[in-house]
Amino acid sequence: MSSAPTSLPNKNAASPAAGGTASSSPTFSPLYQQIKALILRSLQSGEWRPGELIPSEMDLATRFKVSQGTVRKAIDELSAENLVVRRQGKGTFVATHHEARAQFRFLRLKPDVGEPLYPDNTIIDARRLRAPADIARQLDIKAGDSVVFLKRMQTFDGAPTILEELWLPGSIFKGLSVERVLQYKGPMYALLETEFGTQMIRAVENIKAVVADQVAADLLQLPVNTPLLSVTRISFSYGDKPVEVRRSFYVTNNYHYRNELN
């Protein structure tokens, strides 16, 4: 496996993240941001796998020829973004969806009373199909391209609580069989990380209030027109690549959707 480049990005180059081009005015980023970009490049290339210990701040400072404080500031931002995890006395590790804390990072439905519980999952439907135009647009693929479609129910303490549909690009998850999905009992993101090397690092969600139609009501065991929370999510991997579209309906009789804003 080849190591990530140790040279710093060209400070005079336009920033792609900012939408710059070769002809635009040069943009400049602080040194710690450049170090953060280099560390991200190593994470994206798989130099350090999910759950693995990354080099110490001192070793990274030597590698990138910067101060340890500069590296620490870059690591601070990566930690705040849940891309790495600091463990007292052990070092800094690449975040993984197998950790209990990570499982609740994307599951925002919390009980009104008591501690959060991870739900039981029941697959209702799993198959490969051609991407509808709206799903293709959100996944940045062509309409008609292969996608993996999953429909599942999530239950808390035996009560149906979340009904959701997931679309995954078929080109990325070629080996994801219906049989594998049906037999897997853990968090879906952990499966995609372990077997396909795809890690969800951020998501964009649209949330609105709706009422249950007949299909949703039957599956969630509710009266028709029961108020539900509708959440549409696009999840992204490294390089801001969309790798999942998820549409969910939440029953909020005894739960609430919690988000923390920084």
Side-chain angles (χ1 to χ4, degrees), residues 166-226:
L166 295 75
W167 287 266
L168 306 166
S171 60
I172 297 176
F173 303 104
K174 289 182 179 178
L176 184 60
S177 66
V178 172
E179 292 75 19
R180 184 67 183 104
V181 171
L182 292 174
Q183 70 181 209
Y184 184 74
K185 301 302 180 184
M188 183 61 63
Y189 286 175
L191 171 66
L192 302 180
E193 172 189 286
T194 300
E195 299 193 8
F196 298 93
T198 299
Q199 191 174 26
M200 311 298 184
I201 63 173
R202 78 175 187 92
V204 175
E205 294 186 334
N206 292 310
I207 303 174
K208 65 179 180 179
V210 298
V211 295
D213 61 15
Q214 188 67 62
V215 173
D218 289 345
L219 291 170
L220 290 167
Q221 300 175 20
L222 299 169
V224 174
N225 293 329
T226 297

Side-chain angles (χ1 to χ4, degrees), residues 45 55 63 81 137 139 145 154 159 162 171 205 209 219 222 239:
S45 71
R63 171 175 172 169
E81 294 170 7
R137 183 177 64 256
L139 288 175
D145 281 357
Q154 295 188 292
I162 305 175
S171 60
E205 294 186 334
L219 291 170
L222 299 169

Side-chain angles (χ1 to χ4, degrees), residues 51-242:
E52 286 186 353
L53 178 70
I54 71 171
S56 67
E57 292 177 358
M58 183 177 298
D59 288 341
L60 289 172
T62 300
R63 171 175 172 169
F64 297 130
K65 298 179 176 58
V66 296
S67 71
Q68 194 170 336
T70 298
V71 171
R72 183 176 300 115
K73 196 167 183 180
I75 296 293
D76 283 344
E77 283 208 355
L78 292 169
S79 178
E81 294 170 7
N82 296 298
L83 298 181
V84 299
V85 178
R86 280 196 170 102
R87 294 177 185 159
Q88 188 66 35
K90 295 183 178 180
T92 301
F93 295 77
V94 182
T96 171
H97 291 293
H98 286 277
E99 295 180 1
R101 65 186 294 273
Q103 294 176 15
F104 289 102
R105 178 184 170 196
F106 290 94
L107 179 59
R108 294 297 186 176
L109 198 67
K110 310 296 182 185
D112 293 338
V113 179
E115 294 298 316
L117 298 174
Y118 201 80
D120 294 319
N121 298 315
T122 301
I123 301 296
I124 300 171
D125 190 7
R127 51 198 162 100
R128 286 183 176 267
L129 46 78
R130 298 298 178 185
D134 61 327
I135 298 298
R137 183 177 64 256
Q138 294 173 87
L139 288 175
D140 195 23
I141 60 177
K142 295 179 180 178
D145 281 357
S146 173
V147 290
V148 178
F149 171 78
L150 305 174
K151 188 171 187 174
R152 69 177 183 175
M153 180 71 69
Q154 295 188 292
T155 60
F156 293 81
D157 290 331
T161 307
I162 305 175
L163 174 63
E164 56 187 9
E165 297 179 339
L166 295 75
W167 287 266
L168 306 166
S171 60
I172 297 176
F173 303 104
K174 289 182 179 178
L176 184 60
S177 66
V178 172
E179 292 75 19
R180 184 67 183 104
V181 171
L182 292 174
Q183 70 181 209
Y184 184 74
K185 301 302 180 184
M188 183 61 63
Y189 286 175
L191 171 66
L192 302 180
E193 172 189 286
T194 300
E195 299 193 8
F196 298 93
T198 299
Q199 191 174 26
M200 311 298 184
I201 63 173
R202 78 175 187 92
V204 175
E205 294 186 334
N206 292 310
I207 303 174
K208 65 179 180 179
V210 298
V211 295
D213 61 15
Q214 188 67 62
V215 173
D218 289 345
L219 291 170
L220 290 167
Q221 300 175 20
L222 299 169
V224 174
N225 293 329
T226 297
L228 299 173
L229 197 63
S230 171
V231 180
T232 300
R233 171 192 301 172
I234 304 176
S235 298
F236 298 84
S237 187
Y238 292 110
D240 237 19
K241 182 176 181 60

Side-chain angles (χ1 to χ4, degrees), residues 21-64:
T21 64
S23 62
S24 61
S25 300
T27 59
F28 303 93
S29 60
L31 185 57
Y32 80 90
Q33 288 282 1
Q34 298 176 54
I35 299 304
K36 176 185 174 184
L38 289 173
I39 296 174
L40 273 172
R41 192 180 302 173
S42 291
L43 293 173
Q44 184 174 0
S45 71
E47 180 180 353
W48 310 311
R49 299 288 186 181
E52 286 186 353
L53 178 70
I54 71 171
S56 67
E57 292 177 358
M58 183 177 298
D59 288 341
L60 289 172
T62 300
R63 171 175 172 169
F64 297 130

Side-chain angles (χ1 to χ4, degrees), residues 245-256:
V245 173
R246 181 180 302 212
R247 293 175 178 172
S248 307
F249 295 103
Y250 292 68
V251 179
T252 58
N253 294 349
N254 300 306
Y255 297 87
H256 59 273

